[in-house]
Amino acid sequence: MIGLFTSIGLSNSERNPEHSTPVLSFQIITIMIFSLMYVSALDESSRPPFEGSVSEVAAAECIEYLLNEDRVRQEGLFRVPGNVKQVKHYLETVDQGTLPRLDDIPSSHTVASVLKKLFREHKVNVIVVSSVAKELFHEVEMKCSPTTARSLLIGIRSFRLLGGLIHLFSEVLASQEAGKPSVSVDDLARSFGIYMFEDLNVGQAGIVLEFLLQSQSEVFV
């Protein structure tokens, strides 16, 4: 799972072709191939260095975990609290710059709680900064097209993370029993939206989320 978020470190001589030989280059390529093939099987202590924010990788893994094996169908996901002790331990480990294994957390509700905390405690930076968030809200209010929204969002660094969150929210909402919703778009705006979109209030974040949920196949193609 985390192979997409890791990189393999190279020595100075390996980074500079002038100081390497054809044999060494072949060895480097071979090592990289085998590292990529087996990185997901490495234990925590031997994982390659992370690229970028550990918190963002943690959020991406939580999303992927919840989207697998019909975990979105768990009743009360994002409403029922998870194991407080496990959530605290996970977040403390992330603060130390280490990515814990979600396989050690048996409860989907606990993983959902971790994901909420990553945003609420600002461990993951706001996905859409104030200027873009306000412009997006204005365009949505003016009934803009998905293409316009995509053009505003495509340049943000966490575009894929935003798309993953919207996809997760869509699956959670779609999995609820008819007439028995356990979570609404307004709930998601309170739990996530105001932390995803800088300087938007709950109502504004809810409007933007509703639009992105309805237009996700065009905005996040």
Side-chain angles (χ1 to χ4, degrees):
M1 184 190 299
I2 76 160
L4 296 174
F5 303 101
T6 57
S7 63
I8 297 171
L10 300 178
S11 67
N12 289 333
S13 63
E14 291 165 349
R15 293 177 187 276
N16 190 340
E18 296 178 1
H19 294 87
S20 60
T21 65
V23 174
L24 184 57
S25 298
F26 176 79
Q27 290 173 338
I28 293 170
I29 293 171
T30 303
I31 290 171
M32 290 178 69
I33 291 172
F34 277 92
S35 296
L36 290 170
M37 287 173 61
Y38 293 105
V39 67
S40 61
L42 295 175
D43 62 28
E44 184 175 310
S45 62
S46 61
R47 290 182 182 181
F50 295 110
E51 268 188 13
S53 166
V54 175
S55 298
E56 289 179 351
V57 177
E61 286 207 347
C62 287
I63 293 168
E64 187 172 351
Y65 177 92
L66 293 171
L67 284 170
N68 287 334
E69 300 181 12
D70 284 335
R71 294 186 178 103
V72 292
R73 297 185 180 278
Q74 293 274 342
E75 185 176 354
L77 199 66
F78 295 133
R79 181 177 56 82
V80 176
N83 184 294
V84 175
K85 185 177 180 180
Q86 289 180 332
V87 171
K88 181 181 178 182
H89 173 71
Y90 187 98
L91 295 175
E92 286 175 347
T93 305
V94 168
D95 285 341
Q96 294 167 6
T98 303
L99 185 66
R101 289 190 177 280
L102 291 177
D103 291 342
D104 297 333
I105 301 179
S107 165
S108 297
H109 293 103
T110 298
V111 175
S113 294
V114 166
L115 185 59
K116 285 196 295 185
K117 286 279 190 178
L118 284 169
F119 283 91
R120 285 183 176 181
E121 297 184 4
H122 303 290
K123 297 181 187 299
V124 175
N125 292 329
V126 290
I127 294 181
V128 184
V129 297
S130 179
S131 57
V132 178
K134 289 179 178 179
E135 185 175 358
L136 177 62
F137 171 69
H138 173 73
E139 292 292 344
V140 170
E141 275 208 311
M142 298 297 291
K143 310 298 182 185
C144 72
S145 68
T147 303
T148 300
R150 177 177 171 81
S151 67
L152 286 173
L153 295 172
I154 190 68
I156 65 174
R157 187 174 61 84
S158 300
F159 180 73
R160 289 181 61 196
L161 183 59
L162 175 60
L165 278 168
I166 297 300
H167 179 51
L168 174 62
F169 297 160
S170 175
E171 291 296 309
V172 170
L173 293 169
S175 69
Q176 298 181 123
E177 290 185 42
K180 295 182 180 180
S182 60
V183 64
S184 65
V185 174
D186 285 342
D187 294 329
L188 294 173
R190 290 187 184 89
S191 298
F192 290 94
I194 56 176
Y195 307 104
M196 294 163 57
F197 305 104
E198 189 176 28
D199 290 338
L200 295 191
N201 60 37
V202 173
Q204 293 170 331
I207 290 171
V208 172
L209 281 178
E210 185 78 55
F211 174 83
L212 293 178
L213 286 164
Q214 293 174 354
S215 311
Q216 63 171 316
S217 62
E218 297 169 87
V219 176
F220 301 104
V221 290

